[in-house]
Each structure stands twice: as structure tokens, then as C-alpha cells.
């Protein structure tokens, strides 16, 4: 149930990162990284990384993104106070990328003119947003069922809620 395309993307990026060719034995590499067991069966981490739609087996592995109008989840008269809600699905690397793109599209950007140059400033530092998303996805306890990772953007803060310990 692994996507050949996703596995090949991983192998290419790994080869570029390590500056070494991977070789032709895909199963040996998948076994080495813990994506399959010694019998060739998919592990939970293998499903999360290389399945096109891991939520089929692990529905708790999706991410819910919500952009709230104010500083609380409630709007006026007790109604829902959000302007955007999206559920993100797919393998973990795609979840991270999708979450990043969503947050970036909703983030406030301001500009400061210094001399003749304009310098754009984002609401949150890129490294902090990236770290929060990666930590939420990587440190999630995927054996806990019933809750998904939540990304909440309020008017004055940004939260990631990920269930389980480190």
C-alpha cells in the first residue's frame, strides 16, 4: 500500500541529503528505516510516511486547521467564530507542507521601509512556524485514537495541539 512515487521522492531526497547513491534495493532501505518489518509488512511509521492516504488506517493522523476571527473559538451569540476550516490528509511529509502553506496564506504580513528598501515582516518567524508544525506532526502519539492534530490561528496567537508526549 506504499505509493511508489512517494517512496522514490524520499529516496531521491535522501540521496541528495547524504550525497550518496541509495542503490537499487528499496526493500532493504525501507527495512533499515523501519518502514517495513523483517517479513516485509508495513509498519505504522511506514504507513504514515509512504501511504498515499494513511488516514484510511489511521484516521487520527489528519490535521485540522481553523482560522478564528477573534481570541476565542466562539463568535458572537455563541456561534462558531471561524472564517476557515480545513482538514488536511495524506502522508506526514505532505501534511507538514500543506499546513505550512495554509498558515502562510493566512498569516498577516507587514512592511517597513528602510531607506530605499522595503522589508516585509511576517506575523510569526518562519523558523518558529516550521518547528511548531514539524514537532506537532512528529511527536504525535499515533496510537491515541479519536483526536487529530489541530492548528488554530487566532487574531493574536497561533497554536498547534498534538496529542501524546515526547
Amino acid at each position: 500500500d506504499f505509493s511508489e512515487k512517494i517512496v522514490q521522492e524520499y529516496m531521491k531526497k535522501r540521496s541528495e541529503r547524504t550525497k550518496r547513491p541509495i542503490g537499487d534495493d528499496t526493500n532493504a532501505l525501507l527495512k533499515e528505516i523501519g518502514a517495513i518489518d523483517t517479513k516485509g509488512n508495513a509498519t505504522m511509521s511506514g504507513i504514515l510516511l509512504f501511504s498515499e492516504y494513511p488516514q484510511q488506517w489511521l484516521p487520527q493522523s489528519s490535521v485540522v486547521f481553523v482560522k478564528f476571527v477573534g481570541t476565542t473559538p466562539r463568535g458572537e451569540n455563541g456561534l462558531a467564530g471561524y472564517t476557515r476550516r480545513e482538514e488536511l490528509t495524506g502522508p506526514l511529509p505532505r501534511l507538514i507542507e500543506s499546513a505550512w502553506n495554509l498558515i502562510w496564506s493566512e498569516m498577516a504580513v507587514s512592511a517597513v521601509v528602510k531607506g530605499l528598501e522595503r522589508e516585509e515582516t511576517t506575523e510569526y518567524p518562519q523558523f518558529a512556524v516550521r518547528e511548531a508544525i514539524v514537532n506537532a506532526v512528529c511527536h504525535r502519539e499515533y496510537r491515541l485514537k479519536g483526536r487529530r492534530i489541530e492548528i488554530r490561528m487566532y487574531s493574536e496567537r497561533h497554536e498547534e495541539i498534538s496529542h501524546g508526549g515526547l
Side-chain angles (χ1 to χ4, degrees), residues 5-21:
K5 178 182 172 193
I6 295 171
V7 171
Q8 290 306 315
E9 282 176 21
Y10 169 79
M11 294 183 72
K12 180 180 178 214
K13 287 180 181 178
R14 182 179 170 123
S15 177
E16 289 169 358
R17 190 178 68 247
T18 61
K19 297 183 179 26
R20 291 186 321 214

Side-chain angles (χ1 to χ4, degrees), residues 7-78:
V7 171
Q8 290 306 315
E9 282 176 21
Y10 169 79
M11 294 183 72
K12 180 180 178 214
K13 287 180 181 178
R14 182 179 170 123
S15 177
E16 289 169 358
R17 190 178 68 247
T18 61
K19 297 183 179 26
R20 291 186 321 214
I22 296 296
D24 295 332
D25 194 353
T26 304
N27 281 346
L29 177 65
L30 292 174
K31 205 176 297 173
E32 178 187 320
I33 65 172
I36 59 174
D37 63 18
T38 55
K39 296 178 182 171
N41 299 315
T43 63
M44 184 181 292
S45 60
I47 291 168
L48 289 166
L49 290 171
F50 300 116
S51 176
E52 197 74 49
Y53 185 65
Q55 291 74 26
Q56 176 180 350
W57 298 280
L58 301 161
Q60 67 273 23
S61 67
S62 63
V63 173
V64 175
F65 171 89
V66 184
K67 169 80 181 221
F68 294 101
V69 176
T71 59
T72 66
R74 290 280 165 226
E76 291 183 29
N77 302 320

